[in-house]
Amino acid sequence: MLFMPICKDFLWGGATAANQIEGGWQEGGKGPSEADMLSAGTHTSPRQITPDTEPGLTYPNRTASDFYHHYKEDIALMGEMGFKAYRMSIAWSRIFPTGEETEPNPAGLQFYDDVFDELKAHGIEPIVTLSHYEMPLHLVNKYNGWASREVIALFERYARTVIAHFKGKVRYYLTFNEINCGTLPLGNYMSLGIRNEGTRDFLHQVDDVQVRYQALHHQLVASARTVLAGHELDPEAKIGNMIAMMPVYPLTCNPKDMLEFQQNWRQFNWYCADVQCRGAYPYYAQSFWEKNGIHLEITDEDREALRRGTVDFFSLSYYQTNCVTVDPNAAQASGNLLGGAKNPYLESSQWGWQVDPDGLRYTLNEIESRYDLPIIIVENGLGARDALEADGSIHDPYRIDYLQRHIRAMKQAVEEDGVDLFGYTMWGCIDLVSASTGEMAKRYGFIYVDCDDQGHGSFKRYKKDSFDWYRKVIETNGEEL
Ligand code: BG6
């Protein structure tokens, strides 16, 4: 072994997002959020994006896994697995119900105070995402979400309120979940709160590339301003970005495929990460803007914020890889946010995502060599159908296999390659609503939640076989997989 083994204070744990787990959408003074207006969908029928509640549709994020009422039990289960960290998000609309109030909602702050106290009682470190695919619905309706520059200041007020209030309780923050989702048309509503005239559902979103990239710029500026504000308000706080790593390989050694590969990494993985880690747009952004007729309004203040507000660490999600090619007839595969050409060497999950543990090792090395920042994996996992047996057991060897292979690859990146990694929080440690399809049936958890796609069920929690397996992994600091 060339390098040090996984460090003894490595942050093993799990991850969720408020809109996908909490429920209680109208409790404790919470305002409606954009996620509350997303209907249930499936792998083949897209989620509807409705301006208001539409009769006949189900809105799964409103009830989700009912963490709002089960958080004590859920955190106790995390404690039983030995979690060192729990990545969660705060719902902006619990703190500022419309996003425009000048004073925060005390009941919203209290809810998260209670959650953080409970985590502390179990020795679990919170890692808090400030915005995980949600914003107050009012801001979508009034400003078309991040398309408006005004939202930067509103977000900054929210971020400042949260960081000041939870000083001493929260040490790690992430600004925007998978901020690079905004480089894709899919990101319009979910990531940027943009609902252009004519948008109907996830697959039929009216995309205006100029509006979308300007909105993404506003988010990048808000992220940088949050880093600056966070350091000023709480010098102990560490603030990171969050990038959905969507790695691709060239399908063939045709040099044209290689150029496709390079362009793809830049456009989808590095465009935002370069800004957040290096403090300025990269040189290739200019030609991308020109080719796509994008004219960004970037003020001197924006440039200054981006320059000074670089992140303290790099966080990523990783699920699968795809290939790219100039061959228009290549077979296609789907994926997290972005599909691509099918890789003949890989198998796919039940939802068609290609499983690739070596791709994680490759990706971690790419990030390390590009930015030289501490890294944390804040999402990785397998969405699969689980069967609850009559005796309350759930046998999920497929999930154990997926996680085992990815953790092994992660360890190789650290122990053999020297990547500076300080944590791993598996995605969806408790079953929750799928972001892309709105299904409960696409389960990720170590803990099963008895609830179906229509939001019906007892919401009782059951341990899957993977629960004890992960407890062992943490107990042995990844030695026993
Ligand atoms: C990530 C998101 O893209 O992937 C999560 O940050 C999401 O919110 C996760 O749930 C898994 O995707 P899905 O579509 O299976 O829920």
Side-chain angles (χ1 to χ4, degrees):
M1 192 182 294
L2 277 176
F3 290 93
M4 296 291 288
I6 297 280
C7 59
K8 64 173 186 352
D9 48 2
F10 191 77
L11 294 176
W12 293 101
T16 63
N19 79 87
Q20 292 171 259
I21 194 173
E22 278 180 9
W25 76 296
Q26 286 178 314
E27 292 185 58
K30 178 182 172 294
S33 82
E34 54 167 316
D36 296 324
M37 292 299 162
L38 280 174
S39 78
T42 65
H43 190 30
T44 45
S45 63
R47 307 187 75 177
Q48 307 291 307
I49 299 170
T50 65
D52 215 329
T53 304
E54 279 189 17
L57 292 183
T58 307
Y59 293 90
N61 299 71
R62 298 180 180 185
T63 41
S65 312
D66 201 25
F67 177 81
Y68 191 73
H69 298 107
H70 288 76
Y71 72 91
K72 286 195 180 170
E73 179 188 348
D74 290 344
I75 291 171
L77 286 165
M78 293 176 201
E80 201 180 320
M81 273 187 281
F83 275 26
K84 310 275 185 245
Y86 172 45
R87 175 192 173 219
M88 52 176 275
S89 72
I90 290 181
W92 184 353
S93 61
R94 270 196 202 287
I95 310 300
F96 290 101
T98 67
E100 293 205 285
E101 294 81 0
T102 48
E103 293 303 322
N105 166 31
L109 291 172
Q110 188 61 53
F111 171 65
Y112 294 108
D113 267 319
D114 295 344
V115 169
F116 297 141
D117 291 345
E118 202 63 26
L119 287 170
K120 188 163 187 209
H122 288 273
I124 302 172
E125 179 89 50
I127 300 172
V128 174
T129 316
L130 288 164
S131 176
H132 190 129
Y133 289 158
E134 79 187 304
M135 73 190 314
L137 184 66
H138 170 78
L139 301 182
V140 174
N141 294 338
K142 181 168 174 187
Y143 296 109
N144 207 17
W146 285 93
S148 167
R149 186 170 272 282
E150 312 241 8
V151 175
I152 300 175
L154 298 173
F155 183 81
E156 192 179 338
R157 175 156 64 205
Y158 156 66
R160 280 182 172 272
T161 304
V162 165
I163 295 170
H165 183 86
F166 298 116
K167 186 172 174 178
K169 289 192 180 184
V170 178
R171 279 197 298 166
Y172 295 98
Y173 285 100
L174 312 179
T175 56
F176 293 91
N177 180 63
E178 298 188 334
I179 193 167
N180 55 324
C181 185
T183 62
L184 301 161
L186 176 74
N188 269 302
Y189 186 70
M190 191 164 71
S191 190
L192 297 165
I194 294 174
R195 195 185 55 220
N196 289 326
E197 194 63 42
T199 283
R200 293 200 329 264
D201 59 49
F202 258 35
L203 295 183
H204 303 91
Q205 296 192 52
V206 174
D207 183 40
D208 181 330
V209 80
Q210 165 68 32
V211 172
R212 179 157 54 84
Y213 271 85
Q214 185 66 47
L216 180 55
H217 172 71
H218 295 152
Q219 248 184 13
L220 287 164
V221 172
S223 174
R225 289 172 72 123
T226 300
V227 174
L228 291 169
H231 288 163
E232 167 205 317
L233 294 165
D234 182 359
E236 298 290 303
K238 298 273 178 236
I239 305 174
N241 62 350
M242 198 314 205
I243 301 289
M245 291 307 293
M246 300 178 269
V248 291
Y249 305 123
L251 184 64
T252 72
C253 51
N254 177 349
K256 295 264 186 281
D257 279 1
M258 195 62 199
L259 286 171
E260 257 324 276
F261 151 88
Q262 183 179 54
Q263 185 274 337
N264 185 295
W265 271 84
R266 287 172 168 179
Q267 186 178 341
F268 300 118
N269 294 316
W270 300 140
Y271 178 90
C272 295
D274 281 352
V275 176
Q276 294 184 304
C277 300
R278 294 174 165 168
Y281 282 102
Y283 81 96
Y284 56 81
Q286 195 61 45
S287 70
F288 173 78
W289 295 331
E290 273 169 30
K291 273 188 211 135
N292 290 280
I294 297 168
H295 302 280
L296 290 192
E297 182 203 55
I298 307 178
T299 66
D300 288 346
E301 288 78 20
D302 290 353
R303 279 186 220 285
E304 184 61 6
L306 295 180
R307 189 181 68 74
R308 293 177 45 239
T310 54
V311 291
D312 300 318
F313 62 90
F314 190 107
S315 92
L316 69 141
S317 63
Y318 176 90
Y319 291 92
Q320 42 75 231
T321 60
N322 280 307
C323 293
V324 283
T325 176
V326 288
D327 175 3
N329 299 318
Q332 296 295 300
S334 53
N336 182 28
L337 308 180
L338 193 62
K342 200 163 167 33
N343 186 329
Y345 298 96
L346 300 178
E347 290 183 349
S348 298
S349 75
Q350 290 169 333
W351 270 262
W353 297 10
Q354 300 183 120
V355 177
D356 181 11
D358 290 324
L360 175 60
R361 180 177 181 181
Y362 176 80
T363 300
L364 291 172
N365 276 279
E366 287 297 290
I367 297 168
E368 175 74 42
S369 55
R370 196 172 181 101
Y371 302 119
D372 198 17
L373 283 170
I375 303 169
I376 178 167
I377 299 167
V378 294
E379 285 189 31
N380 171 240
L382 178 74
R385 292 183 195 283
D386 292 325
L388 174 63
E389 308 288 344
D391 65 356
S393 59
I394 299 110
H395 306 300
D396 58 346
Y398 35 87
R399 183 168 294 107
I400 295 175
D401 178 68
Y402 177 99
L403 295 171
Q404 198 171 49
R405 289 162 64 204
H406 283 78
I407 293 175
R408 194 169 289 136
M410 165 187 104
K411 285 181 59 171
Q412 286 173 323
V414 175
E415 298 178 352
E416 296 178 34
D417 307 335
V419 167
D420 178 11
L421 190 76
F422 68 98
Y424 173 89
T425 58
M426 173 272 205
W427 174 252
C429 48
I430 300 172
D431 289 345
L432 38 65
V433 176
S434 156
S436 59
T437 69
E439 295 164 289
M440 271 305 286
K442 190 180 187 188
R443 296 175 181 274
Y444 284 85
F446 300 120
I447 297 160
Y448 184 96
V449 177
D450 177 33
C451 166
D452 66 15
D453 290 344
Q454 273 63 50
H456 302 136
S458 65
F459 291 87
K460 212 173 149 216
R461 275 58 173 151
Y462 297 86
K463 296 175 194 173
K464 303 181 193 176
D465 287 354
S466 53
F467 183 99
D468 276 326
W469 172 81
Y470 196 52
R471 189 180 48 72
K472 245 317 170 12
V473 172
I474 299 178
E475 194 180 279
T476 61
N477 203 26
E479 283 303 308
E480 216 171 290
L481 286 178

